[in-house]
């Protein structure tokens, strides 16, 4: 069985932890565009050098570049066989359309797009209690604001496609994980 998922969640929603649980449950490839870009930066590739500037300035890497990276990654055996959970992609409307088009050309669709939902005041409190150097009140507010601006329209798009599944992200890691897996199983 091939499982094709996208996961959305605000920073502090526990997306990283839950991606690990999804990977362990379904054996899918975890495809994080942020991780792939950081790897390209570390390797000093031409694409990495360009991406670094954009990432450092807090912007988004161009849709064409990102779409190309993800399309290539999806053809690798660990993703094309068992499937994948996409994390950090798609992040714009053109990316969402490119992803669906890419899958459609192989006669596939997504099984589900998960919105790991944790209220704003809760993620704010979680980030503040992490005490990370880049978690100043201002930086937290900025990142959460960008999430609303950039990501909300993509969630609405997937909702229109009938793919969006919202999962309550409040509770212990185990509680959230069983809720999440149950919600995914309903869509397989
Ligand atoms: P964060 O959740 O803090 O934004 P990520 O690891 O997902 O962290 O991404 C880090 C950076 O990589 C982003 O700020 C952006 O510059 C770039 N990036 C990641 N994914 C995408 C994407 N799908 N489209 C454009 N840029 C992206």
């Amino acid at each position: 069985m091939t499982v094709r998922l996208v996961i959305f969640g605000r920073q502090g929603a526990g997306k990283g932890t839950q991606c690990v649980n999804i990977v362990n449950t379904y054996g899918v490839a975890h495809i994080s565009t942020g991780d792939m870009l950081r790897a390209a930066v570390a390797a000093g590739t031409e694409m990495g050098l360009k991406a670094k500037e954009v990432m450092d300035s807090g912007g988004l890497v161009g849709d064409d570049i990102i779409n190309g990276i993800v399309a290539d990654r999806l053809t690798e055996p660990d993703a094309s066989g068992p499937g994948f959970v996409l994390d950090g992609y798609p992040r714009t409307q053109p990316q969402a359309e490119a992803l669906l088009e890419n899958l459609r050309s192989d006669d596939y669709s997504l099984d589900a797009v998960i919105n790991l939902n944790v209220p704003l005041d809760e993620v704010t409190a979680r980030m503040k209690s992490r005490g990370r150097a880049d978690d100043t009140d201002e930086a937290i507010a900025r990142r959460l604001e960008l999430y609303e601006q950039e990501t909300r329209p993509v969630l609405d798009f997937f909702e229109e496609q009938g793919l969006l599944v919202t999962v309550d992200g409040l509770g212990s890691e185990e509680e959230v994980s069983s809720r999440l897996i149950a919600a995914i199983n309903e869509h397989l």
Side-chain angles (χ1 to χ4, degrees), residues 11 33-35 37-38 54-55 59-61 66 88-89 91 95:
Q11 289 184 316
T33 44
D35 286 352
L37 290 170
R38 279 184 289 274
V54 178
M55 291 164 77
L60 287 176
V61 175
I66 287 285
Y89 176 93
R91 208 177 274 219
Q95 291 178 16

Side-chain angles (χ1 to χ4, degrees), residues 9-11 15 32-38 51-63 65-67 70 87-92 95 132 134 143 146-147 150:
R10 290 190 178 101
Q11 289 184 316
K15 195 160 51 97
S32 157
T33 44
D35 286 352
M36 288 166 80
L37 290 170
R38 279 184 289 274
K52 186 178 188 315
E53 263 179 58
V54 178
M55 291 164 77
D56 285 349
S57 71
L60 287 176
V61 175
D63 287 334
I65 295 180
I66 287 285
N67 287 335
V70 174
D87 171 2
Y89 176 93
R91 208 177 274 219
T92 65
Q95 291 178 16
R132 249 169 46 181
D134 58 342
R143 280 190 245 129
L146 269 177
Y147 183 84
E150 290 164 12

Side-chain angles (χ1 to χ4, degrees), residues 59-168:
L60 287 176
V61 175
D63 287 334
D64 289 348
I65 295 180
I66 287 285
N67 287 335
I69 296 176
V70 174
D72 284 349
R73 180 68 185 84
L74 290 179
T75 65
E76 287 175 36
D78 63 327
S80 63
F84 54 81
V85 55
L86 282 165
D87 171 2
Y89 176 93
R91 208 177 274 219
T92 65
Q93 178 78 17
Q95 291 178 16
E97 285 168 17
L99 173 65
L100 290 185
E101 189 47 46
N102 178 26
L103 294 174
R104 204 178 295 131
S105 67
D106 288 324
D107 263 342
Y108 300 133
S109 185
L110 292 167
D111 292 299
V113 174
I114 296 139
N115 180 20
L116 188 59
N117 191 35
V118 177
L120 257 180
D121 53 351
E122 171 67 18
V123 285
T124 308
R126 287 185 191 177
M127 276 194 261
K128 281 183 181 160
S129 69
R130 289 195 305 207
R132 249 169 46 181
D134 58 342
D135 283 345
T136 61
D137 286 359
E138 211 172 272
I140 289 171
R142 173 83 186 123
R143 280 190 245 129
L144 292 172
E145 185 189 307
L146 269 177
Y147 183 84
E148 295 304 323
Q149 278 173 12
E150 290 164 12
T151 312
R152 194 56 59 189
V154 183
L155 289 180
D156 294 343
F157 170 77
F158 282 124
E159 173 116 67
E160 283 160 28
Q161 306 277 320
L163 287 168
L164 192 67
V165 183
T166 296
V167 175
D168 180 1

